[in-house]
C-alpha cells in the first residue's frame, strides 16, 4: 500500500511546512505522516494555478485535448482503484466493500466530463438591431479552490475537478486534515495523466493556516466547497476578501417516508442502507424514518432484525458491513447528541453506545422519537449511524414532518401509489428525491440541496457551466460611419 504522502504544487511533489499524523480509525493509532500546507504552500499553489490558467500549455490546447487528458485520468483511476481503495479504507475507516466499488465508479465521472469538454457551446443572439451581429461565448472562470471533507473525497473531488478542468479552469484542491491520504495519492495519477504543471494542485492542512488562506486568496475566482454548515459560514465570510463565486454542498437530515402500501422488504433494505452504510457518515444519510403509523411496529421489528445481523468488523475485510467512525471527535459528538435526545424523551430501541473494541466504533442505533419529535437527534445532522423514528397518520402529516428541519438535501419515498408519488415529489423540499430506492448516484444526475444543505448543484452536464463565465461579443456590420456619438446604440 502507498505509504509516502506529499503535497502536489506546480507539477512537483514536496514535503510541506510540517507533518502531522493521520489516524487509522480502526485502531485509533497513527498509521502515516501527512504533509501540512501553510500559507507559503497555499500561496505557491494558487500562484501556480493562476500562471497555468493563461499558460499556452493549458490555455492554448483545444477543448478536445482537455477531454483527452480527463479520459486518461479516468483510465488511470480505474486501474489504481484497488490501491486507492486500500488507502482510503485505512485512512478513513470506510469499509473496503464501499471504497473499492465507489472508486472504480468515480472513473465514470471523469469520463463523463471528458466527453463534455468540447461540447461547451456559446450561442448566437437574434439581436434586435439591423446592423449588428451578437453572440455569447463561454470562457473558463479561472482559478478554482476545491475544498472537500474527508468522506467520499475522491468522489467529491471528481464532481469539482471533472467539470472545472473540462471548462478550462485550473484548480487548487484542498483535502481535509482528517484522512487526506487518498487525495494525496490521487495527485500521483493527475501527474501521470500529463496535465501541465499548475493545472491541478493538491494540498492539505488545517482551517486557519490552509483552508482560510485558500478561500480568501485574492487570486481565487471560484470556491467549490463541500462540508458542514458551520465551516460554510467561514467560507462565505472568507469570500468577502476575494468576492469569489461560491458553491456550497452541505449536510443533511434526510427523511425516508414509508407508506403502508410500500414494498416493505425494499423499504427496510433501503432504510438499512440509508443510515448504516458508511456507518452513517454520508451527507445523504436517511437519518429520519417517517413511517405510516399502522405499519410502524412491524416495520421497526423487521429493521431491527436486520440491524442485529449487521457484520461489524475491520474495514479492510471484504465481509465487513459496518466499520468505525472516522474521528474520535465524531464519536464524542454522537454520544453527546444521543444522551441529550434521551433526556428529551427519545426511547432507545437498539445501540446507543460505543462498541467495546479498539478504534472509533459506535453501535448501529435506533431511537424512537415519536414522543419527542423535536429531540436534538431529529433536528441536527449527526453524521453517524443513528436513526430517529417517527410516525405519520396522513400524507399531509408526512410532508410536514419531512420538511420540518432546516436542511433539504435528499429524501426517500416508498409507496406503490403513483399519484401520491408525484404529489410528494413536488411537496418535499430537497434537492434529490429517491422514489422506491435510496442513495443512487450517477455522473449524469445533478445533486445538491436547499436551505442549510447549501445551494450548489454538482454532477450532470450543467455543472460545467458553473465553471464558465459568458462573454458577449457585438460586431457592427454596417460599412457606413457610426452616427450620433451622444446616444446609446
Ligand atoms: N452535500 C454534499 O455533497 C456533502 C456534504 N458533506 C458534509 O460534510 C460534513 C462532514 O465533513 P467534515 O469534514 O466534518 O466537514 P468540515 O466542514 O469540517 O470540513 C470540510 C473542509 O473544510 C475545511 N475547512 C475547515 N475550516 C475551514 C475554514 N475556516 N476555511 C476553509 N476551509 C476550512 C476542512 O479542512 C475540510 O477540508 C457533513 O456536514 C456532511 O454532510 C459531506 C459529503 C457530501
Ligand atoms: O449524489 C451525491 C452524493 C451521494 C452520496 C454522498 S456521500 O459520500 O455518501 O456523502 C455524497 C454525494
Amino acid at each position: 500500500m502507498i505509504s509516502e504522502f506529499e503535497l502536489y504544487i506546480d507539477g512537483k511533489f514536496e514535503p510541506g511546512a510540517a507533518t502531522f499524523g493521520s489516524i487509522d480509525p480502526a485502531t485509533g493509532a497513527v498509521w502515516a505522516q501527512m504533509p501540512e500546507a501553510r500559507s507559503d504552500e497555499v500561496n505557491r499553489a494558487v500562484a501556480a494555478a493562476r500562471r497555468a490558467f493563461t499558460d499556452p500549455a493549458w490555455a492554448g490546447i483545444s477543448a478536445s485535448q482537455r477531454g483527452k487528458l480527463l479520459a486518461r485520468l479516468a483510465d488511470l483511476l480505474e486501474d489504481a482503484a484497488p490501491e486507492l481503495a486500500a488507502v482510503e479504507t485505512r485512512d478513513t475507516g470506510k469499509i473496503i466493500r464501499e471504497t473499492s466499488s465507489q472508486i472504480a465508479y468515480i472513473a465514470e465521472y471523469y469520463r463523463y466530463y471528458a466527453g463534455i469538454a468540447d461540447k461547451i457551446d456559446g450561442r448566437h443572439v437574434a439581436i434586435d438591431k439591423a446592423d449588428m451581429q451578437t453572440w455569447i461565448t463561454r470562457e473558463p472562470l479561472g482559478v478554482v479552490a476545491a475544498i472537500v471533507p474527508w468522506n467520499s473525497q475522491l468522489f467529491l473531488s471528481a464532481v469539482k475537478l471533472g467539470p472545472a478542468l473540462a471548462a478550462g479552469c485550473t484548480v487548487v484542491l484542498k483535502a481535509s486534515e482528517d484522512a487526506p491520504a487518498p487525495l494525496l495519492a490521487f495527485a500521483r495519477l493527475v501527474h501521470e495523466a500529463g496535465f501541465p504543471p499548475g493545472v491541478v494542485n493538491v494540498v492539505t492542512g488545517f482551517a486557519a493556516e490552509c483552508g482560510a488562506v485558500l478561500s480568501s486568496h485574492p487570486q481565487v475566482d471560484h470556491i467549490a466547497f463541500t462540508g458542514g454548515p458551520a465551516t460554510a459560514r467561514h467560507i462565505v465570510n472568507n469570500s468577502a476578501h476575494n468576492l469569489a463565486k461560491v458553491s456550497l454542498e452541505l449536510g443533511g437530515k434526510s427523511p425516508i417516508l414509508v407508506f403502508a402500501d410500500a414494498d416493505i422488504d425494499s423499504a427496510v433494505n433501503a432504510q438499512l442502507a440509508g443510515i448504516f452504510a458508511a456507518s452513517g457518515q454520508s451527507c445523504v444519510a436517511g437519518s429520519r424514518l417517517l413511517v405510516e403509523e399502522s405499519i410502524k411496529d412491524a416495520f421497526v421489528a423487521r429493521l431491527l432484525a436486520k440491524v442485529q445481523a449487521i457484520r461489524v468488523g475491520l474495514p479492510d475485510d471484504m465481509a465487513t458491513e459496518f466499520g468505525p467512525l472516522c474521528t474520535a471527535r465524531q464519536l464524542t459528538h454522537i454520544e453527546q447528541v444521543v444522551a441529550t435526545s434521551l433526556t428529551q424523551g427519545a426511547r432507545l430501541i437498539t445501540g446507543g453506545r460505543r462498541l467495546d473494541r479498539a478504534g472509533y466504533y459506535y453501535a448501529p442505533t435506533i431511537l424512537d422519537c415519536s414522543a419527542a419529535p423535536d429531540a436534538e437527534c431529529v433536528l441536527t445532522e449527526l453524521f453517524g449511524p443513528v436513526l430517529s423514528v417517527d410516525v405519520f397518520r396522513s400524507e399531509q402529516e408526512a410532508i410536514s414532518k419531512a420538511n420540518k428541519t432546516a436542511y433539504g438535501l435528499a429524501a426517500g419515498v416508498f409507496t406503490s401509489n403513483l399519484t401520491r408519488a408525484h404529489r410528494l415529489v413536488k411537496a418535499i423540499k430537497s434537492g434529490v428525491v429517491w422514489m422506491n430506492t435510496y442513495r443512487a448516484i450517477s455522473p449524469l444526475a445533478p445533486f445538491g440541496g436547499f436551505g442549510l444543505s447549501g445551494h450548489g448543484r454538482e454532477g450532470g452536464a450543467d455543472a460545467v457551466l458553473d465553471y464558465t463565465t459568458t462573454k458577449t461579443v457585438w460586431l457592427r456590420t454596417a460599412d457606413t460611419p457610426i452616427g450620433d456619438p451622444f446616444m446609446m446604440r
Side-chain angles (χ1 to χ4, degrees):
M1 192 201 295
I2 306 160
S3 59
E4 301 262 308
F5 301 96
E6 290 182 300
L7 306 175
Y8 183 55
I9 299 173
D10 206 6
K12 295 186 204 68
F13 292 91
E14 57 174 82
T19 59
F20 60 98
S22 203
I23 291 173
D24 176 348
T27 62
V30 169
W31 76 278
Q33 290 297 316
M34 299 297 148
E36 182 189 341
R38 294 185 182 160
S39 55
D40 175 51
E41 289 73 23
V42 174
N43 288 334
R44 284 191 291 108
V46 177
R50 173 53 59 195
R51 184 198 44 72
F53 182 64
T54 49
D55 191 309
W58 179 244
I61 66 172
S62 67
S64 309
Q65 206 53 42
R66 292 201 299 270
K68 282 187 183 149
L69 285 166
L70 279 166
R72 169 115 181 92
L73 180 60
D75 292 344
L76 291 168
L77 184 59
E78 193 164 60
D79 291 349
E83 206 178 351
L84 280 179
V87 172
E88 183 170 6
T89 289
R90 185 76 189 270
D91 211 22
T92 65
K94 198 170 187 182
I95 58 173
I96 192 81
R97 231 157 124 160
E98 169 136 318
T99 54
S100 46
S101 65
Q102 196 188 34
I103 294 175
Y105 189 52
I106 291 166
E108 297 303 328
Y109 281 76
Y110 285 105
R111 270 187 203 117
Y112 178 72
Y113 288 109
I116 285 182
D118 57 7
K119 293 160 196 76
I120 308 171
D121 295 332
R123 75 186 167 89
H124 184 262
V125 181
I127 205 75
D128 57 344
K129 297 171 201 308
D131 63 348
M132 214 71 90
Q133 289 289 329
T134 307
W135 64 95
I136 301 167
T137 61
R138 287 213 168 254
E139 299 191 348
L141 203 53
V143 174
V144 176
I147 302 179
V148 296
W150 63 268
N151 79 307
S152 302
Q153 49 195 298
L154 287 157
F155 168 60
L156 298 168
S157 313
V159 290
K160 297 174 177 58
L161 255 63
L165 297 173
C169 292
T170 57
V171 182
V172 178
L173 173 61
K174 182 204 171 298
S176 170
E177 63 275 35
D178 296 321
L183 280 188
L184 298 174
F186 167 76
R188 304 260 163 204
L189 306 182
V190 172
H191 188 71
E192 202 181 329
F195 286 92
V199 170
V200 180
N201 306 272
V202 185
V203 299
T204 185
F206 296 87
E209 289 186 88
C210 182
V213 176
L214 177 59
S215 51
S216 57
H217 198 289
Q219 292 293 330
V220 163
D221 301 295
H222 180 90
I223 306 167
F225 174 75
T226 301
T231 313
R233 292 195 169 90
H234 289 292
I235 297 285
V236 172
N237 281 333
N238 295 345
S239 74
H241 294 275
N242 50 23
L243 297 181
K245 184 176 167 192
V246 178
S247 65
L248 302 174
E249 296 283 346
L250 311 178
K253 195 71 205 175
S254 302
I256 294 186
L257 284 64
V258 183
F259 287 82
D261 63 7
D263 172 343
I264 300 300
D265 284 338
S266 207
V268 167
N269 264 348
Q271 180 57 82
L272 199 71
I275 188 62
F276 300 123
S279 299
Q281 300 167 109
S282 163
C283 58
V284 294
S287 51
R288 291 188 295 139
L289 167 62
L290 296 173
V291 58
E292 195 157 356
E293 193 173 36
S294 60
I295 60 161
K296 178 197 168 195
D297 291 344
F299 189 89
V300 171
R302 281 163 85 164
L303 184 64
L304 183 58
K306 293 222 169 198
V307 169
Q308 285 165 342
I310 290 175
R311 279 197 294 261
V312 179
L314 288 173
D316 62 356
D317 180 346
M318 252 321 182
T320 295
E321 295 171 333
F322 187 92
L325 300 170
C326 181
T327 63
R329 189 176 69 246
Q330 191 57 18
L331 189 57
T332 311
H333 170 63
I334 291 170
E335 282 181 324
Q336 281 167 354
V337 175
V338 170
T340 306
S341 303
L342 291 173
T343 66
Q344 292 170 324
R347 187 178 63 80
L348 192 62
I349 297 176
T350 188
R353 60 186 170 81
R354 286 178 192 227
L355 291 176
D356 187 18
R357 54 184 297 156
Y360 307 141
Y361 286 80
Y362 191 84
T365 296
I366 305 179
L367 293 165
D368 185 339
C369 296
S370 48
D374 294 327
E376 194 175 348
C377 65
V378 180
L379 299 178
T380 52
E381 182 185 47
L382 276 90
F383 217 56
V386 179
L387 175 67
S388 69
V389 181
D390 195 0
V391 292
F392 61 84
R393 292 158 206 92
S394 67
E395 187 178 314
Q396 210 38 56
E397 193 184 8
I399 292 166
S400 92
K401 286 191 170 178
N403 288 341
K404 82 182 256 186
T405 75
Y407 297 94
L409 192 56
V413 178
F414 288 81
T415 179
S416 54
N417 179 332
L418 187 64
T419 50
R420 171 157 58 207
H422 279 275
R423 286 193 298 275
L424 283 157
V425 164
K426 207 162 170 195
I428 290 176
K429 276 195 297 162
S430 65
V432 178
V433 181
W434 282 298
M435 305 288 315
N436 296 332
T437 186
Y438 204 77
R439 210 168 171 238
I441 60 164
S442 163
L444 288 77
F447 174 82
F450 297 149
L452 218 51
S453 294
H455 50 60
R457 290 292 177 271
E458 292 186 326
D462 289 351
V464 173
L465 303 183
D466 288 343
Y467 294 93
T468 66
T469 187
T470 59
K471 181 172 281 174
T472 305
V473 187
W474 295 79
L475 170 69
R476 184 166 178 268
T477 53
D479 286 334
T480 52
I482 291 182
D484 186 351
F486 300 107
M487 54 175 270
M488 193 177 262
R489 311 272 99 241

